[in-house]
Short mmCIF file of all heavy atoms in Angstrom, two decimals:
data_model
loop_
_atom_site.label_atom_id
_atom_site.label_comp_id
_atom_site.label_asym_id
_atom_site.label_seq_id
_atom_site.Cartn_x
_atom_site.Cartn_y
_atom_site.Cartn_z
N PHE A 44 26.40 1.39 4.51
CA PHE A 44 25.35 0.53 4.96
C PHE A 44 24.54 1.20 6.08
O PHE A 44 23.32 1.25 6.09
CB PHE A 44 25.90 -0.81 5.50
CG PHE A 44 24.95 -1.80 5.83
CD1 PHE A 44 24.41 -2.64 4.94
CD2 PHE A 44 24.63 -2.04 7.17
CE1 PHE A 44 23.49 -3.65 5.30
CE2 PHE A 44 23.65 -2.96 7.57
CZ PHE A 44 23.15 -3.79 6.59
N VAL A 47 22.69 4.54 4.62
CA VAL A 47 21.47 4.17 3.83
C VAL A 47 20.31 3.82 4.77
O VAL A 47 19.21 4.19 4.62
CB VAL A 47 21.80 3.12 2.78
CG1 VAL A 47 20.50 2.60 2.13
CG2 VAL A 47 22.67 3.65 1.71
N HIS A 48 20.65 2.91 5.72
CA HIS A 48 19.59 2.56 6.63
C HIS A 48 19.05 3.69 7.45
O HIS A 48 17.81 3.85 7.66
CB HIS A 48 20.07 1.33 7.57
CG HIS A 48 20.06 0.00 6.89
ND1 HIS A 48 21.03 -0.43 6.09
CD2 HIS A 48 19.12 -0.92 6.95
CE1 HIS A 48 20.79 -1.65 5.69
NE2 HIS A 48 19.57 -2.01 6.09
N TYR A 51 16.81 5.76 5.36
CA TYR A 51 15.47 5.14 5.30
C TYR A 51 14.63 5.43 6.47
O TYR A 51 13.49 5.86 6.40
CB TYR A 51 15.61 3.56 5.12
CG TYR A 51 15.60 3.10 3.75
CD1 TYR A 51 16.75 2.67 3.11
CD2 TYR A 51 14.43 2.95 3.04
CE1 TYR A 51 16.80 2.21 1.77
CE2 TYR A 51 14.41 2.44 1.77
CZ TYR A 51 15.56 2.06 1.09
OH TYR A 51 15.50 1.63 -0.15
N GLU A 52 15.26 5.26 7.69
CA GLU A 52 14.45 5.48 8.87
C GLU A 52 13.97 6.84 9.07
O GLU A 52 12.92 7.15 9.52
CB GLU A 52 15.25 5.04 10.17
CG GLU A 52 15.52 3.54 10.19
CD GLU A 52 14.27 2.64 10.48
OE1 GLU A 52 13.26 3.19 10.93
OE2 GLU A 52 14.24 1.51 10.10
N PHE A 55 11.13 7.21 6.72
CA PHE A 55 9.99 6.54 7.35
C PHE A 55 9.31 7.42 8.33
O PHE A 55 8.08 7.45 8.46
CB PHE A 55 10.38 5.21 8.06
CG PHE A 55 10.85 4.11 7.17
CD1 PHE A 55 11.57 3.02 7.72
CD2 PHE A 55 10.55 4.13 5.84
CE1 PHE A 55 11.94 1.91 6.86
CE2 PHE A 55 11.01 3.07 4.96
CZ PHE A 55 11.69 1.99 5.52
N LEU A 100 18.35 1.76 -3.06
CA LEU A 100 18.85 0.39 -3.17
C LEU A 100 19.98 0.27 -4.17
O LEU A 100 20.91 -0.45 -4.00
CB LEU A 100 17.69 -0.59 -3.49
CG LEU A 100 16.55 -0.72 -2.42
CD1 LEU A 100 15.48 -1.69 -2.88
CD2 LEU A 100 17.16 -1.11 -1.06
N LEU A 103 23.03 1.26 -2.51
CA LEU A 103 23.62 0.20 -1.66
C LEU A 103 24.29 -0.93 -2.51
O LEU A 103 25.22 -1.51 -2.03
CB LEU A 103 22.47 -0.32 -0.77
CG LEU A 103 22.88 -1.11 0.49
CD1 LEU A 103 23.86 -0.26 1.34
CD2 LEU A 103 21.68 -1.46 1.27
N MET A 106 27.96 -1.49 -3.19
CA MET A 106 28.68 -2.37 -2.21
C MET A 106 28.66 -3.77 -2.81
O MET A 106 27.57 -4.30 -3.00
CB MET A 106 28.06 -2.33 -0.81
CG MET A 106 28.60 -3.29 0.13
SD MET A 106 27.84 -3.12 1.83
CE MET A 106 26.29 -3.94 1.47
N PHE A 111 30.31 -6.65 1.65
CA PHE A 111 29.32 -6.86 2.74
C PHE A 111 29.75 -7.92 3.71
O PHE A 111 29.65 -7.83 4.92
CB PHE A 111 27.99 -7.25 2.08
CG PHE A 111 26.80 -7.42 3.04
CD1 PHE A 111 26.63 -6.54 4.02
CD2 PHE A 111 25.87 -8.43 2.79
CE1 PHE A 111 25.50 -6.71 4.94
CE2 PHE A 111 24.73 -8.55 3.60
CZ PHE A 111 24.65 -7.70 4.70
N ALA A 121 20.62 -8.81 14.25
CA ALA A 121 19.88 -7.57 13.80
C ALA A 121 19.41 -7.79 12.41
O ALA A 121 20.09 -8.51 11.62
CB ALA A 121 20.77 -6.34 13.94
N SER A 122 18.35 -7.20 12.03
CA SER A 122 17.79 -7.34 10.66
C SER A 122 16.67 -6.32 10.40
O SER A 122 16.13 -5.77 11.40
CB SER A 122 17.10 -8.79 10.58
OG SER A 122 16.11 -8.81 9.57
N GLY A 123 16.42 -6.08 9.15
CA GLY A 123 15.29 -5.24 8.77
C GLY A 123 13.95 -5.64 9.41
O GLY A 123 12.98 -4.82 9.53
N PHE A 124 13.89 -6.90 9.77
CA PHE A 124 12.73 -7.39 10.59
C PHE A 124 12.43 -6.51 11.75
O PHE A 124 11.34 -6.42 12.16
CB PHE A 124 13.06 -8.74 11.21
CG PHE A 124 12.72 -9.94 10.33
CD1 PHE A 124 13.34 -11.19 10.57
CD2 PHE A 124 11.74 -9.88 9.34
CE1 PHE A 124 13.09 -12.30 9.84
CE2 PHE A 124 11.39 -10.98 8.66
CZ PHE A 124 12.02 -12.21 8.83
N SER A 126 12.82 -3.29 12.00
CA SER A 126 12.43 -1.86 11.74
C SER A 126 11.02 -1.62 12.21
O SER A 126 10.07 -2.00 11.45
CB SER A 126 12.66 -1.53 10.26
OG SER A 126 12.06 -0.25 9.99
N PHE A 129 8.96 0.69 9.84
CA PHE A 129 8.47 -0.05 8.65
C PHE A 129 7.26 -0.79 8.97
O PHE A 129 6.21 -0.61 8.25
CB PHE A 129 9.58 -0.98 8.11
CG PHE A 129 9.22 -1.66 6.82
CD1 PHE A 129 9.51 -1.12 5.61
CD2 PHE A 129 8.66 -3.00 6.86
CE1 PHE A 129 9.15 -1.83 4.45
CE2 PHE A 129 8.37 -3.65 5.72
CZ PHE A 129 8.59 -3.03 4.45
N ARG A 130 7.22 -1.50 10.05
CA ARG A 130 6.01 -2.27 10.47
C ARG A 130 4.86 -1.29 10.79
O ARG A 130 3.77 -1.56 10.53
CB ARG A 130 6.29 -3.06 11.70
CG ARG A 130 6.67 -4.48 11.71
CD ARG A 130 6.30 -5.36 10.59
NE ARG A 130 7.42 -6.34 10.42
CZ ARG A 130 7.82 -6.82 9.30
NH1 ARG A 130 7.16 -6.55 8.22
NH2 ARG A 130 8.79 -7.61 9.28
N GLU A 133 3.31 -0.24 7.67
CA GLU A 133 2.49 -1.36 7.11
C GLU A 133 1.14 -1.44 7.86
O GLU A 133 0.09 -1.47 7.31
CB GLU A 133 3.14 -2.68 7.31
CG GLU A 133 4.32 -3.00 6.30
CD GLU A 133 4.87 -4.39 6.46
OE1 GLU A 133 4.66 -5.11 7.51
OE2 GLU A 133 5.41 -4.94 5.54
N ARG A 143 -0.75 -11.93 8.21
CA ARG A 143 0.45 -12.55 7.58
C ARG A 143 0.37 -14.06 7.88
O ARG A 143 -0.19 -14.47 8.87
CB ARG A 143 1.76 -12.02 8.28
CG ARG A 143 2.02 -10.63 8.05
CD ARG A 143 2.64 -10.54 6.70
NE ARG A 143 3.07 -9.15 6.41
CZ ARG A 143 4.33 -8.75 6.25
NH1 ARG A 143 5.29 -9.64 6.37
NH2 ARG A 143 4.64 -7.55 5.96
N PHE A 151 9.13 -12.28 12.53
CA PHE A 151 9.50 -10.95 12.79
C PHE A 151 9.10 -10.42 14.16
O PHE A 151 9.78 -9.65 14.81
CB PHE A 151 9.12 -9.91 11.65
CG PHE A 151 7.63 -9.86 11.25
CD1 PHE A 151 6.75 -9.26 12.09
CD2 PHE A 151 7.28 -10.41 10.13
CE1 PHE A 151 5.45 -9.18 11.69
CE2 PHE A 151 5.92 -10.31 9.67
CZ PHE A 151 4.99 -9.71 10.41
N TRP A 298 9.13 -1.91 -4.16
CA TRP A 298 10.32 -1.90 -3.21
C TRP A 298 10.57 -3.28 -2.68
O TRP A 298 11.69 -3.70 -2.64
CB TRP A 298 10.13 -0.89 -2.06
CG TRP A 298 11.31 -0.79 -1.20
CD1 TRP A 298 12.37 0.02 -1.39
CD2 TRP A 298 11.63 -1.59 -0.06
NE1 TRP A 298 13.33 -0.19 -0.46
CE2 TRP A 298 12.91 -1.15 0.43
CE3 TRP A 298 11.01 -2.59 0.60
CZ2 TRP A 298 13.58 -1.74 1.53
CZ3 TRP A 298 11.64 -3.19 1.76
CH2 TRP A 298 12.90 -2.74 2.16
N ARG A 299 9.51 -3.96 -2.34
CA ARG A 299 9.65 -5.30 -1.75
C ARG A 299 10.38 -6.28 -2.72
O ARG A 299 11.30 -7.01 -2.38
CB ARG A 299 8.35 -5.93 -1.34
CG ARG A 299 7.69 -5.34 -0.13
CD ARG A 299 6.47 -6.17 0.21
NE ARG A 299 5.47 -5.44 0.95
CZ ARG A 299 5.38 -5.28 2.27
NH1 ARG A 299 6.32 -5.85 2.98
NH2 ARG A 299 4.46 -4.66 2.84
N HIS A 302 14.03 -5.11 -3.15
CA HIS A 302 14.85 -5.45 -1.96
C HIS A 302 15.08 -6.96 -1.93
O HIS A 302 16.19 -7.41 -1.52
CB HIS A 302 14.01 -4.96 -0.77
CG HIS A 302 14.59 -5.44 0.56
ND1 HIS A 302 13.97 -6.47 1.32
CD2 HIS A 302 15.69 -5.04 1.30
CE1 HIS A 302 14.63 -6.65 2.47
NE2 HIS A 302 15.69 -5.87 2.45
N LEU A 305 17.91 -7.51 -4.23
CA LEU A 305 19.16 -7.01 -3.53
C LEU A 305 19.63 -8.07 -2.61
O LEU A 305 20.83 -8.44 -2.60
CB LEU A 305 18.84 -5.69 -2.84
CG LEU A 305 19.94 -5.26 -1.82
CD1 LEU A 305 20.65 -4.05 -2.39
CD2 LEU A 305 19.34 -4.94 -0.48
N ALA A 306 18.66 -8.66 -1.77
CA ALA A 306 19.10 -9.61 -0.85
C ALA A 306 19.73 -10.90 -1.56
O ALA A 306 20.69 -11.46 -1.17
CB ALA A 306 17.90 -10.07 0.03
N MET A 309 23.15 -9.99 -2.71
CA MET A 309 24.15 -9.95 -1.69
C MET A 309 24.39 -11.32 -1.06
O MET A 309 25.51 -11.71 -0.65
CB MET A 309 23.69 -9.02 -0.52
CG MET A 309 23.66 -7.56 -0.99
SD MET A 309 25.27 -6.91 -1.27
CE MET A 309 24.87 -5.36 -2.05
N LEU A 310 23.33 -12.15 -0.98
CA LEU A 310 23.39 -13.37 -0.13
C LEU A 310 23.32 -14.61 -0.96
O LEU A 310 23.57 -15.76 -0.37
CB LEU A 310 22.32 -13.37 0.88
CG LEU A 310 22.21 -12.12 1.80
CD1 LEU A 310 20.97 -12.21 2.69
CD2 LEU A 310 23.42 -11.99 2.68
N ILE A 314 20.78 -17.68 4.37
CA ILE A 314 19.71 -17.13 5.17
C ILE A 314 20.02 -15.70 5.60
O ILE A 314 21.15 -15.32 5.59
CB ILE A 314 19.34 -18.07 6.41
CG1 ILE A 314 20.61 -18.04 7.39
CG2 ILE A 314 18.90 -19.42 6.04
CD1 ILE A 314 20.31 -18.61 8.76
N GLY A 315 18.97 -14.94 5.95
CA GLY A 315 19.19 -13.56 6.41
C GLY A 315 19.80 -13.45 7.80
O GLY A 315 19.70 -14.50 8.54
N THR A 316 20.25 -12.31 8.19
CA THR A 316 20.79 -12.13 9.54
C THR A 316 19.72 -12.30 10.57
O THR A 316 19.94 -12.67 11.74
CB THR A 316 21.47 -10.72 9.67
OG1 THR A 316 20.57 -9.72 9.21
CG2 THR A 316 22.74 -10.69 8.97
N GLY A 317 18.37 -12.06 10.18
CA GLY A 317 17.30 -12.26 11.08
C GLY A 317 16.80 -13.67 11.12
O GLY A 317 15.90 -14.03 11.78
N GLY A 318 17.42 -14.62 10.31
CA GLY A 318 17.14 -15.94 10.43
C GLY A 318 16.12 -16.51 9.37
O GLY A 318 15.75 -17.68 9.40
N SER A 319 15.56 -15.61 8.49
CA SER A 319 14.63 -16.09 7.50
C SER A 319 15.31 -16.79 6.35
O SER A 319 16.57 -16.73 6.32
CB SER A 319 13.80 -14.92 6.97
OG SER A 319 14.52 -14.23 6.03
N SER A 320 14.51 -17.33 5.44
CA SER A 320 15.09 -18.01 4.28
C SER A 320 15.70 -16.93 3.27
O SER A 320 16.19 -17.28 2.23
CB SER A 320 14.05 -18.79 3.49
OG SER A 320 12.96 -18.00 3.17
N GLY A 321 15.66 -15.63 3.67
CA GLY A 321 16.29 -14.62 2.87
C GLY A 321 15.42 -14.25 1.58
O GLY A 321 14.21 -13.97 1.75
N HIS A 322 16.00 -14.40 0.44
CA HIS A 322 15.40 -14.03 -0.73
C HIS A 322 14.01 -14.64 -0.90
O HIS A 322 13.02 -13.96 -1.26
CB HIS A 322 16.26 -14.39 -1.93
CG HIS A 322 15.52 -14.25 -3.31
ND1 HIS A 322 15.28 -13.03 -3.84
CD2 HIS A 322 15.08 -15.15 -4.13
CE1 HIS A 322 14.64 -13.19 -5.00
NE2 HIS A 322 14.52 -14.51 -5.22
N TYR A 324 11.86 -15.75 1.40
CA TYR A 324 10.91 -15.11 2.32
C TYR A 324 10.43 -13.80 1.80
O TYR A 324 9.27 -13.39 1.75
CB TYR A 324 11.54 -14.90 3.73
CG TYR A 324 10.73 -13.89 4.60
CD1 TYR A 324 9.58 -14.21 5.19
CD2 TYR A 324 11.21 -12.55 4.64
CE1 TYR A 324 8.80 -13.28 5.91
CE2 TYR A 324 10.52 -11.62 5.39
CZ TYR A 324 9.36 -11.96 5.96
OH TYR A 324 8.57 -11.07 6.65
N LEU A 325 11.45 -12.95 1.33
CA LEU A 325 11.17 -11.60 0.91
C LEU A 325 10.29 -11.62 -0.38
O LEU A 325 9.39 -10.75 -0.50
CB LEU A 325 12.48 -10.90 0.64
CG LEU A 325 13.29 -10.56 1.87
CD1 LEU A 325 14.69 -10.09 1.51
CD2 LEU A 325 12.59 -9.62 2.87
N ALA A 328 6.78 -12.34 0.67
CA ALA A 328 6.22 -11.26 1.34
C ALA A 328 5.73 -10.19 0.28
O ALA A 328 4.69 -9.52 0.39
CB ALA A 328 7.14 -10.53 2.30
C1 HEM B 1 22.90 -5.46 2.03
C2 HEM B 1 21.76 -4.97 2.10
C3 HEM B 1 20.50 -5.80 2.59
C4 HEM B 1 20.36 -7.13 2.69
C5 HEM B 1 21.37 -8.17 2.31
C6 HEM B 1 19.06 -7.36 3.20
C7 HEM B 1 18.56 -8.58 3.53
C8 HEM B 1 17.33 -8.83 4.15
C9 HEM B 1 16.82 -10.08 4.46
C10 HEM B 1 17.43 -11.44 4.13
C11 HEM B 1 15.63 -9.96 5.14
C12 HEM B 1 14.77 -11.05 5.74
C13 HEM B 1 14.89 -11.06 7.21
C14 HEM B 1 16.08 -11.69 7.63
O1 HEM B 1 16.24 -12.92 7.65
O2 HEM B 1 17.10 -10.95 8.01
C15 HEM B 1 15.43 -8.50 5.22
C16 HEM B 1 14.31 -7.97 5.75
C17 HEM B 1 14.08 -6.64 5.74
N1 HEM B 1 14.91 -5.68 5.30
FE1 HEM B 1 16.66 -5.87 4.36
N2 HEM B 1 18.47 -6.14 3.48
C18 HEM B 1 19.34 -5.18 3.10
C19 HEM B 1 19.08 -3.80 3.17
C20 HEM B 1 17.92 -3.22 3.61
C21 HEM B 1 17.65 -1.80 3.60
C22 HEM B 1 18.56 -0.72 3.10
C23 HEM B 1 16.41 -1.64 4.21
C24 HEM B 1 15.77 -0.33 4.41
C25 HEM B 1 15.13 -0.03 5.45
C26 HEM B 1 15.94 -2.97 4.53
C27 HEM B 1 14.77 -3.20 5.19
C28 HEM B 1 14.27 -4.47 5.43
C29 HEM B 1 12.94 -4.68 6.02
C30 HEM B 1 11.90 -3.59 6.37
C31 HEM B 1 12.81 -6.00 6.16
C32 HEM B 1 11.56 -6.81 6.66
C33 HEM B 1 10.72 -7.08 5.47
C34 HEM B 1 9.49 -7.93 5.79
O3 HEM B 1 9.41 -8.61 6.80
O4 HEM B 1 8.51 -7.93 4.95
N3 HEM B 1 16.86 -3.84 4.20
N4 HEM B 1 16.46 -7.85 4.63
#
Side-chain angles (χ1 to χ4, degrees):
F44 187 81
V47 170
H48 279 84
Y51 265 103
E52 292 294 337
F55 288 164
L100 294 181
L103 199 53
M106 170 178 79
F111 183 40
S122 155
F124 269 158
S126 170
F129 182 86
R130 265 332 146 214
E133 283 188 339
R143 292 280 184 117
F151 56 74
W298 185 86
R299 286 186 206 273
H302 169 255
L305 165 110
M309 292 292 169
L310 306 173
I314 62 167
T316 48
S319 78
S320 57
H322 170 70
Y324 162 78
L325 294 169

